[in-house]
């Protein structure tokens, strides 16, 4: 039976939501894409290319190409700076959207007028990190109300829940003094800075760092925080970033503090051997950080060999933050009348049906359901779209 004239709401415009929306639209289904932020692409549109002489298959450029397709697709209506505030009815869901206040104030438009070179990171954030998001903006960087659909009420035949994750807030690990020490940054800060300016500089003085540390498992696999899961993506992104930094600056000394290394995907053995040759690996996690007079970070850790404390100094410390359940998960689970897992991710019906939920007509895509890479989020979203199409066919 035909799925034409059917309409699906996708909540969340990260790579999972974009991929699901595009797949549905290619199958003739009208999509209402509801995104809380004032740009599309979620976290992954903020990441930099990590190529050395070769592509390192980080997946970041895939997001640009899917975003481009979605932006140009007349079958997908985009509601930026919008959120779902009420859902009623079934199997045809009646949805009420609300507007989310965005930072379209004088400060943000001034940042854009002052130019990208002066404030690359902030300007990238204001512009939505990608030229493809520019379609939703006026010349001074403000959200264009004429282009972003803001219909308050929708009626849809199925829903894909794709609101993603939040990166771990490094302030919750007081040892690392993230907010106090300028040269301690998160993995996301590093990605945004590289994406905006193309290089990595010490935040305290804008000089290129020579001694760099990556600290793994920040916020993940942490019994004290009650976060027992492996985030799966922080080993791949940290090692690829480290190798890209080393490629640009062969004199850099890069140290990785770790507990275990997660497989990074294709050709892991060869890639990991190269990392072992070019980077220093220390199998322990630092216990203290201090700032020296010249803004270096003195890091104390316990020696792997004799268990005695060792101090090492770095120009820059990168905290490899992991994937945490989204802030709105509880509220959305209530609205959608479905469940969360004990960890706070959206619960699928069982391990064999990772896109289905307990609620008829509601499906999951991407990291809302648990940690995933970009490639895995795309695959999961494709599967969710397929399940929706089968569901709509059965319902017609
Ligand atoms: C620092 C860091 C670096 C990473 N680097 C890589 C890498 O190099 N390669 C790789 O493969 N993976 C990487 N990842 C993982 C990658 O970010 C995820 O795989 C990907 O972003 C998942 O996409 P998503 O759409 O599920 O979620 P998200 O990217 O989180 O997108 C979800 C979207 O939903 C929106 N949203 C949230 N709440 C609501 C709501 N209530 N209503 C409407 N919209 C809402 C958000 O604004 C967002 O746009 C990295 C992760 C981190 C933390
Ligand atoms: S390293 Fe990543 S962003 Fe760069 S070309 Fe390869 S997949 Fe694309
Ligand atoms: S991917 Fe690596 S850094 Fe991230 S939680 Fe797993 S083991 Fe730790």
């Amino acid at each position: 039976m035909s799925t034409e004239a059917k309409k699906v709401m996708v909540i969340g415009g990260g790579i999972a939501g974009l991929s699901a929306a595009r797949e549905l639209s290619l199958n003739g289904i009208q999509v209402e894409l509801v995104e809380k932020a004032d740009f599309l692409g979620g976290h992954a549109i903020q990441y930099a290319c990590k190529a050395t002489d070769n592509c390192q298959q980080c997946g970041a450029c895939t997001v640009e190409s899917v975003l481009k397709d979605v932006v140009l697709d007349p079958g997908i209506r985009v509601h930026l700076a919008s959120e779902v505030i009420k859902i009623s009815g079934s199997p045809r869901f009646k949805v009420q959207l609300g507007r989310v206040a965005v930072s379209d104030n004088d400060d943000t438009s001034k940042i854009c007028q002052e130019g990208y070179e002066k404030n690359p990171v902030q300007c990238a954030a204001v512009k939505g990190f990608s030229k493809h998001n520019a379609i939703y903006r006026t010349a001074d960087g403000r959200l264009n109300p004429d282009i972003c659909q803001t219909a308050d009420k929708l009626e849809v035949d199925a829903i894909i829940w794709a609101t993603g994750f939040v990166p771990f807030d490094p302030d919750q690990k007081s040892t690392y003094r993230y907010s106090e020490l300028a040269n301690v940054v998160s993995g996301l800060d590093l990605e945004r800075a590289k994406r905006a300016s193309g290089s990595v500089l010490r935040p305290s003085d804008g000089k290129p760092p020579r001694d760099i540390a990556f600290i793994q498992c920040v916020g993940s696999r942490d019994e004290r925080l009650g976060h027992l899961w492996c985030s799966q993506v922080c080993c791949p992104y940290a090692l690829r970033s480290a190798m890209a930094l080393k490629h640009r600056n062969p004199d850099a000394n890069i140290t990785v503090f770790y507990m275990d290394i997660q497989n990074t995907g294709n050709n892991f053995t060869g890639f990991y051997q190269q990392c072992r040759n070019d980077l220093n690996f220390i199998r322990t996690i630092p216990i203290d950080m201090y700032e020296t007079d010249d803004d270096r970070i003195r890091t104390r850790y316990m020696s792997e060999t004799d268990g005695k404390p060792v101090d090492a100094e770095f120009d820059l410390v990168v905290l490899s933050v992991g994937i945490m359940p989204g802030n709105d998960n509880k509220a959305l689970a209530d609205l959608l009348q479905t469940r969360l897992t004990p960890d706070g991710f959206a619960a699928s019906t069982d391990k064999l049906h990772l896109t289905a939920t307990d609620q008829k007509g509601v499906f999951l895509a991407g990291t809302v359901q648990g940690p995933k890479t970009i490639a895995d989020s795309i695959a999961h979203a494709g599967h969710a779209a397929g399940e929706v199409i089968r569901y709509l066919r059965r319902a017609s």
Side-chain angles (χ1 to χ4, degrees):
M1 275 232 161
S2 163
T3 53
E4 268 170 47
K6 295 285 182 188
K7 199 181 264 192
V8 174
M9 173 171 67
V10 176
I11 318 173
I15 184 60
L18 294 176
S19 306
R22 179 72 176 145
E23 188 62 28
L24 290 170
S25 177
L26 286 173
N27 280 278
I29 296 166
Q30 170 76 48
V31 179
E32 304 280 356
L33 179 57
V34 179
E35 166 57 53
K36 194 171 181 179
D38 58 355
F39 63 93
L40 290 178
H43 289 99
I45 199 67
Q46 306 174 40
Y47 303 156
C49 173
K50 298 171 191 71
T52 53
D53 280 335
N54 301 309
C55 166
Q56 293 203 78
Q57 298 175 0
C58 74
C61 54
T62 325
V63 188
E64 281 283 356
S65 81
V66 180
L67 174 58
K68 182 177 173 208
D69 290 342
V70 166
V71 160
L72 297 175
D73 189 332
I76 303 173
R77 293 209 313 166
V78 175
H79 306 263
L80 286 184
S82 301
E83 63 184 338
V84 176
I85 51 177
K86 198 172 167 199
I87 302 179
S88 58
S90 172
R92 195 156 166 86
F93 300 96
K94 292 188 171 61
V95 180
Q96 192 172 336
L97 298 184
R99 296 281 289 155
V100 177
V102 291
S103 54
D104 274 357
N105 57 32
D106 289 346
D107 278 354
T108 49
S109 59
K110 203 166 140 234
I111 286 168
C112 280
Q113 279 156 18
E114 281 176 350
Y116 182 83
E117 278 69 26
K118 200 161 170 203
N119 294 300
V121 177
Q122 294 93 325
C123 192
V126 172
K127 292 274 188 193
F129 297 95
S130 161
K131 63 181 181 204
H132 303 304
N133 271 315
I135 193 170
Y136 303 120
R137 307 251 151 206
T138 57
D140 66 356
R142 288 166 195 268
L143 206 57
N144 186 343
D146 298 337
I147 294 182
C148 312
Q149 306 290 330
T150 57
D152 283 338
K153 290 190 174 140
L154 309 172
E155 284 199 22
V156 295
D157 302 287
I159 296 173
I160 293 187
W161 181 10
T163 53
F165 70 99
V166 288
F168 177 72
D169 168 11
D171 278 330
Q172 285 186 45
K173 292 284 286 180
S174 53
T175 315
Y176 301 135
R177 302 175 60 198
Y178 169 73
S179 288
E180 282 170 68
L181 307 181
N183 293 328
V184 175
V185 301
S186 75
L188 188 59
D189 298 332
L190 187 79
E191 291 292 333
R192 285 176 173 158
K194 276 192 299 176
R195 171 120 190 162
S197 67
S199 56
V200 172
L201 303 170
R202 268 200 347 169
S204 67
D205 57 7
K207 291 188 181 151
R210 202 178 71 98
D211 300 312
I212 304 168
F214 284 81
I215 302 180
Q216 298 307 105
C217 296
V218 175
S220 317
R221 306 181 57 176
D222 188 322
E223 206 167 341
R224 250 189 277 174
L225 291 167
H227 301 165
L228 298 183
W229 61 90
C230 166
S231 286
Q232 296 181 24
V233 299
C234 13
C235 281
Y237 81 67
L239 294 184
R240 287 182 180 124
S241 286
M243 291 301 275
L245 285 169
K246 184 79 182 168
H247 179 76
R248 278 193 161 211
N249 177 8
D251 291 335
N253 286 319
I254 305 182
T255 301
V256 180
F257 291 99
Y258 75 108
M259 294 197 281
D260 277 311
I261 294 294
Q262 185 69 15
N263 190 326
T264 56
N266 286 351
N267 187 26
F268 175 66
T269 311
F271 174 69
Y272 188 47
Q273 193 50 53
Q274 191 66 46
C275 292
R276 282 270 166 194
N277 294 342
D278 291 356
L279 315 172
N280 315 311
F281 282 83
I282 302 182
R283 195 168 195 172
T284 184
I285 295 292
I287 48 170
D288 264 322
M289 312 271 235
Y290 310 92
E291 198 165 48
T292 64
D293 289 344
D294 56 353
D295 295 341
R296 279 164 66 88
I297 306 296
R298 184 170 301 142
T299 304
R300 175 160 296 175
Y301 62 91
M302 300 315 229
S303 157
E304 283 178 276
T305 43
D306 59 13
K308 292 198 174 135
V310 182
D311 284 347
E313 284 187 18
F314 300 99
D315 296 307
L316 186 72
V317 172
V318 183
L319 305 177
S320 296
V321 290
I323 286 189
M324 304 292 126
N327 293 331
D328 295 345
N329 282 8
K330 171 78 180 71
L332 283 163
D334 288 346
L335 279 171
L336 294 163
Q337 294 181 37
T338 182
R339 284 182 302 122
L340 299 182
T341 64
D343 290 332
F345 294 101
S348 56
T349 45
D350 59 61
K351 286 201 165 110
L352 289 177
H353 300 92
L354 294 179
T355 61
T357 70
D358 292 346
Q359 180 61 253
K360 238 173 111 182
V362 176
F363 299 83
L364 307 174
T367 51
V368 72
Q369 186 263 331
K372 286 174 192 62
T373 61
I374 293 169
D376 290 343
S377 299
I378 293 172
H380 194 236
H383 189 69
E387 287 296 310
V388 168
I389 291 165
R390 274 187 284 281
Y391 167 79
L392 294 177
R393 283 196 181 129
R394 279 197 303 270
S396 331

